[in-house]
Amino acid sequence: MGLLPQLNKLLIQAGIELTEPQKQQLISYVEMLHKWNKAYNLTSVRAPEQMIIRHILDSIVVNEHLDGERFIDVGTGPGLPGVPLAIIRPESHFVLLDSLGKRVRFLRQVQHELGLNNIEPIQSRVEEYQPEIKFDGVISRAFASLTDMLHWCAHLPQTNGRFYALKGAIPEDEIALLPDNYPVNRVMELKVPELDEQRHLVIIDIK
């Protein structure tokens, strides 16, 4: 099965509708990731067919739970989940933050080749990055513990912004350690088609 038929099948299973140009951008992103991965070692997932499941679907199932239009993806790596979300959410703006130059170079090439005007790749350590405009949502995927995320990223969200942490199993121990001024809004189970692993989204408010 080619990548596009595979993507179509998984989108149907996930109940997600996208335009044909969006699907093509997602496929092009996977092809770029596969090509650059050989030299830059951007992800441990080697096969494009697995990238569709583990990177594309794993990222875009979060979309329906996001509120706002301005987001930052901290520790974005090769652009996950920020690039897939930016493709299917063209009205939103995504700052893609990573401290490694090779990842940011890749993201700038993605921005150029895919014509993604709503992503902004930035090379910086998260604690040193000072945005001119704060964010509706701070997103992290396999970035750090919840406590570390809040500690390092406390300066990023606006007053009524939220933190969105993509996790595997529910991090009960991490949730128990959260301070009172960061109440958990909800913990959502995420269903990723053909992925036999737990996925959860922890949404944290700011008091």
Side-chain angles (χ1 to χ4, degrees):
M1 185 185 294
L3 293 182
L4 186 56
Q6 182 197 9
L7 177 61
N8 279 327
K9 178 182 160 202
L10 292 167
L11 289 172
I12 290 167
Q13 287 176 282
I16 296 172
E17 290 187 21
L18 300 179
T19 66
E20 292 306 317
Q22 284 173 328
K23 293 175 191 174
Q24 196 50 60
Q25 280 183 310
L26 290 170
I27 297 294
S28 297
Y29 171 61
V30 166
E31 289 170 347
M32 286 186 70
L33 189 52
H34 181 242
K35 181 174 132 191
W36 279 60
N37 203 34
K38 292 167 185 170
Y40 279 71
N41 200 25
L42 297 167
T43 169
S44 59
V45 180
R46 299 292 172 195
E49 298 78 14
Q50 280 298 308
M51 289 179 184
I52 295 278
I53 298 167
R54 292 183 164 273
H55 290 337
I56 301 302
L57 266 293
D58 200 30
S59 295
I60 64 177
V61 291
V62 179
N63 180 52
E64 63 179 304
H65 306 297
L66 300 180
D67 288 318
E69 291 187 352
R70 186 171 164 76
F71 299 93
I72 181 167
D73 178 8
V74 292
T76 188
L80 298 163
V83 169
L85 286 171
I87 288 171
I88 70 166
R89 203 180 173 95
E91 73 285 355
S92 296
H93 182 82
F94 289 84
V95 167
L96 308 179
L97 194 73
D98 203 275
S99 58
L100 271 189
K102 67 178 183 179
R103 294 173 182 159
V104 175
R105 282 194 294 278
F106 169 70
L107 290 171
R108 289 191 179 127
Q109 193 62 29
V110 168
Q111 182 180 29
H112 172 69
E113 287 194 27
L114 301 189
L116 285 179
N117 300 320
N118 62 332
I119 65 170
E120 187 181 345
I122 292 177
Q123 184 181 350
S124 173
R125 292 173 62 84
V126 64
E127 60 269 34
E128 293 166 3
Y129 174 63
Q130 296 296 332
E132 289 179 26
I133 307 168
K134 303 213 172 194
F135 299 94
D136 299 318
V138 178
I139 304 171
S140 78
R141 179 181 189 250
F143 168 67
S145 72
L146 295 177
T147 307
D148 284 346
M149 180 189 180
L150 298 177
H151 176 68
W152 289 330
C153 304
H155 60 295
L156 298 176
Q158 58 165 311
T159 313
N160 59 346
R162 283 181 171 155
F163 291 92
Y164 298 90
L166 281 71
K167 295 284 189 176
I170 299 176
E172 304 278 7
D173 296 350
E174 295 178 25
I175 290 171
L177 293 172
L178 290 176
D180 292 342
N181 57 326
Y182 289 111
V184 172
N185 178 290
R186 59 193 187 277
V187 179
M188 318 283 305
E189 183 180 8
L190 301 172
K191 293 286 190 189
V192 182
E194 297 186 20
L195 185 65
D196 191 22
E197 295 169 23
Q198 288 191 61
R199 287 290 188 270
H200 289 88
L201 174 66
V202 182
I203 303 177
I204 299 170
D205 290 338
I206 304 163
K207 256 190 188 170

